[in-house]
Amino acid sequence: MTLYLSILTQILITVVAVCGVYVLTGLTGMFSLGQAAFMAVGSYASGILVVKCGFPFWLACILAVLIAVVIGYLVGFPTVRLRRDYISLVTLGFGEAITALLNRATKLTGGASGFIGIPRKTTFLLALVSAIAAIAIVSWFKTSKYGRQCIAVRGDELAAKAMGINVPKIKMNAFLLSVAVTAFSGCLYAFFITYVDPTIFGWKKSADWVIMVFFGGVNSLTGSVVGAFILSGLPEVLRSLDQYRSIIYAILVLLIINFKPSGIFGEWELSPRNLKALGEKLAKRSRKEEKTDGAA
């Protein structure tokens, strides 16, 4: 039971991070290969504030998120004005720079040996509440004026600008929200595994999150969350096939990308209106089948 709760807790932390990536990639169409660096900032900043400065857990998390947002603003201010492919390159370089800095700041971060001694504060209940809160915040943002403007920017930046949308401002708002959510997931992560090192937060983790968003449905928050659950839990399910799980993982992703490019859910969202429409559609299909069987 403890093992399953531990796995679920880690999956829920990943869901929080993927919600941040969805804001950036799913809503605004920007790709970041350095998003895990902001998770690193949240992890290390909160851990150092608690272990070395004696701050309470929640205050340390709030300060860590604020630190990540300030760094995100400094990175994002020149970056959001670039083309989308250049944004991925800049964030990749930023992620590598953060990793190098964490490795070199031995006295503060422990360097390549990692930062140890972090108390365990993250529980399954806290991770669950945090995941629900992250989903609710991102869902609200998507349906807000800013979210609709993000979708317009994703569709065509020039057309959005012609309609009077301040494109750099909208992209910066989305970027900073993404940074804040991802940094908070880093706080949860650090206080769950009680140890962090720079290798955990490489560009591959950022790429995994982007894959989860595309796997579930790049235009669907519901799909992104489901994709995070499936692709985070899959390695644990396939643990008995340790030699083949990476191959199975890759084949599954390739099948989805090739045969359903819009992802599992496409643009469909889990909402009362959509659930009602789905129920009516299924009921109509059932009645049609009953009539066909009766006529036969």
Side-chain angles (χ1 to χ4, degrees):
M1 187 64 179
T2 305
L3 175 62
Y4 291 124
L5 282 178
S6 176
I7 293 171
L8 282 173
T9 302
Q10 293 190 60
I11 291 174
L12 289 169
I13 293 171
T14 301
V15 167
V16 175
V18 169
C19 283
V21 175
Y22 172 76
V23 172
L24 199 63
T25 303
L27 284 183
T28 321
M30 295 187 290
F31 292 89
S32 173
L33 292 178
Q35 205 65 11
F38 294 109
M39 186 183 195
V41 172
S43 296
Y44 274 92
S46 59
I48 290 170
L49 288 172
V50 169
V51 175
K52 296 195 174 184
C53 302
F55 280 69
F57 169 63
W58 280 110
L59 180 57
C61 289
I62 293 171
L63 291 175
V65 171
L66 290 176
I67 291 169
V69 168
V70 171
I71 295 174
Y73 181 82
L74 296 175
V75 174
F77 183 76
T79 302
V80 295
R81 289 165 170 77
L82 301 174
R83 277 180 12 199
R84 294 174 184 177
D85 47 352
Y86 287 115
I87 291 173
S88 62
L89 292 175
V90 171
T91 52
L92 174 62
F94 168 72
E96 294 301 308
I98 288 292
T99 301
L101 181 62
L102 294 173
N103 277 317
R104 289 183 176 277
T106 307
K107 292 183 179 179
L108 185 63
T109 65
S113 300
F115 188 77
I116 61 175
I118 304 173
R120 175 164 287 190
K121 298 288 186 180
T122 302
T123 61
F124 170 74
L125 181 60
L126 176 58
L128 178 62
V129 172
S130 299
I132 293 172
I135 293 169
I137 290 170
V138 173
S139 178
W140 167 82
F141 183 80
K142 180 179 181 178
T143 56
S144 70
K145 177 184 73 173
Y146 296 106
R148 292 192 295 272
Q149 289 177 341
C150 285
I151 294 172
V153 170
R154 182 193 67 196
D156 192 323
E157 287 191 20
L158 289 176
K161 189 178 293 185
M163 294 298 293
I165 295 174
N166 188 337
V167 173
K169 181 182 177 181
I170 291 301
K171 290 168 73 175
M172 176 61 81
N173 289 340
F175 187 73
L176 293 182
L177 176 59
S178 176
V179 166
V181 174
T182 308
F184 182 65
S185 74
C187 299
L188 296 174
Y189 184 77
F191 285 89
F192 179 70
I193 64 172
T194 70
Y195 163 85
V196 287
D197 72 79
T199 59
I200 297 174
F201 308 105
W203 68 270
K204 289 183 179 180
K205 182 175 285 292
S206 301
D208 284 343
W209 293 341
V210 173
I211 288 171
M212 290 174 189
V213 170
F214 276 89
F215 181 84
V218 70
N219 298 321
S220 169
L221 175 59
T222 304
S224 297
V225 171
V226 172
F229 263 95
I230 294 174
L231 296 185
S232 295
L234 191 63
E236 299 300 330
V237 174
L238 299 175
R239 187 171 290 275
S240 58
L241 301 172
D242 189 58
Q243 295 179 345
Y244 305 102
R245 61 177 177 171
S246 296
I247 299 174
I248 296 173
Y249 183 99
I251 291 173
L252 184 60
V253 170
L254 287 172
L255 287 173
I256 290 293
I257 291 175
N258 280 281
F259 293 100
K260 197 168 176 51
S262 59
I264 296 175
F265 283 78
E267 297 186 3
W268 191 85
E269 292 285 8
L270 181 63
S271 66
R273 179 185 297 178
N274 288 339
L275 285 175
K276 182 181 178 180
L278 180 62
E280 291 175 352
K281 184 178 180 180
L282 292 174
K284 185 177 179 180
R285 181 181 295 178
S286 178
R287 289 194 296 268
K288 187 177 180 180
E289 290 177 353
E290 287 177 359
K291 287 180 181 180
T292 303
D293 292 339

